[in-house]
Amino acid sequence: MRIISGIHKGKRLQAPKKLPVRPTTDMAKEGLFNILNHHYTFSQIALLDLFAGTGNISYEFASRGTTEITAVDAHYGCVGYIRNTATALDFEIETVKSDVYSYLEKVHRSYDIIFADPPYDFTKEQFQKIAELVFAQRLLNEEGTLIIEHSKHTNIEDTPHFAHARKYGGSVFSFFEY
């Protein structure tokens, strides 16, 4: 994986092979950030990265100037890798080892962007539960966006607050807003 833009543009990162992850492809990540570039000033937002895995998305935001980043993952190895990589790159990324659903039920703050990249084999209901919790707990700022990455074989467009989707190869980003 590599950081596409910002202060660490072009930096390649190699996650340990033993981590149970599927990082967002560079092509999909580039498409996503082309969309977000038109709506956000990265240095002025708060990001919540759910199912953070290797931290790929968090590093991209941090490289572009975001300093309020929380990365949540249930796997100890993933959280440790994100913490160590963030320190090495001098990024301010708060790491939380937690089940994502439990975290969403207890967190008491709001974010401008919430990015969720759960396993592609989740059921439709598991994907929808992420959106349900985010909106029920009012975790997005008024102009905020929830982005859920999923397989092109999963359709969650009938989920409340769905705004639009973008497809990149086998990946889809579904956007949710108030």
Side-chain angles (χ1 to χ4, degrees), residues 1-13:
M1 89 185 128
R2 72 182 170 93
I3 298 174
I4 295 169
S5 188
I7 61 172
H8 286 291
K9 179 180 180 176
K11 176 109 176 129
R12 293 202 172 276
L13 301 169

Side-chain angles (χ1 to χ4, degrees), residues 52-69:
T54 61
N56 187 12
I57 295 296
S58 290
Y59 308 140
E60 195 65 48
F61 275 97
S63 184
R64 295 167 188 246
T66 304
T67 57
E68 285 188 57
I69 300 173

Side-chain angles (χ1 to χ4, degrees), residues 1-5 7-17 19 21-26 29 49 52-64 78 80-91 93:
M1 89 185 128
R2 72 182 170 93
I3 298 174
I4 295 169
S5 188
I7 61 172
H8 286 291
K9 179 180 180 176
K11 176 109 176 129
R12 293 202 172 276
L13 301 169
Q14 187 66 44
K17 299 229 183 283
L19 296 181
V21 296
R22 175 207 28 80
T24 302
T25 66
D26 286 352
K29 188 167 57 167
D49 185 1
T54 61
N56 187 12
I57 295 296
S58 290
Y59 308 140
E60 195 65 48
F61 275 97
S63 184
R64 295 167 188 246
C78 290
Y81 177 75
I82 295 169
R83 187 178 301 124
N84 292 338
T85 303
T87 299
L89 296 174
D90 199 29
F91 288 155
I93 299 174

Side-chain angles (χ1 to χ4, degrees), residues 17-163:
K17 299 229 183 283
K18 64 184 178 199
L19 296 181
V21 296
R22 175 207 28 80
T24 302
T25 66
D26 286 352
M27 177 189 77
K29 188 167 57 167
E30 195 160 357
L32 172 65
F33 278 88
N34 284 340
I35 294 167
L36 296 176
N37 251 342
H38 298 291
H39 300 286
Y40 294 98
T41 301
F42 294 116
S43 61
Q44 298 174 1
I45 65 167
L47 168 74
L48 176 59
D49 185 1
L50 302 172
F51 304 93
T54 61
N56 187 12
I57 295 296
S58 290
Y59 308 140
E60 195 65 48
F61 275 97
S63 184
R64 295 167 188 246
T66 304
T67 57
E68 285 188 57
I69 300 173
T70 304
V72 179
D73 201 282
H75 191 273
Y76 181 80
C78 290
V79 172
Y81 177 75
I82 295 169
R83 187 178 301 124
N84 292 338
T85 303
T87 299
L89 296 174
D90 199 29
F91 288 155
E92 296 177 38
I93 299 174
E94 176 189 0
T95 55
V96 178
K97 184 193 172 304
S98 175
D99 170 76
V100 166
Y101 298 115
S102 297
Y103 182 82
L104 291 175
E105 289 171 352
K106 67 182 179 190
V107 68
H108 296 291
R109 69 169 296 199
S110 60
Y111 300 88
D112 299 292
I113 297 175
I114 298 176
F115 181 84
D117 185 9
Y120 276 16
D121 64 356
F122 265 25
T123 65
K124 180 177 180 173
E125 292 74 22
Q126 287 173 299
F127 284 108
Q128 290 176 320
K129 185 174 180 184
I130 297 165
E132 285 172 22
L133 286 170
V134 164
F135 288 97
Q137 299 292 101
R138 303 208 45 86
L139 300 179
L140 276 178
N141 292 329
E142 197 166 302
E143 300 295 319
T145 304
L146 166 65
I147 305 158
I148 300 177
E149 181 177 347
H150 55 90
S151 163
K152 67 180 181 180
H153 303 292
T154 302
N155 183 333
I156 56 175
E157 293 180 8
D158 60 345
T159 304
H161 300 285
F162 176 82

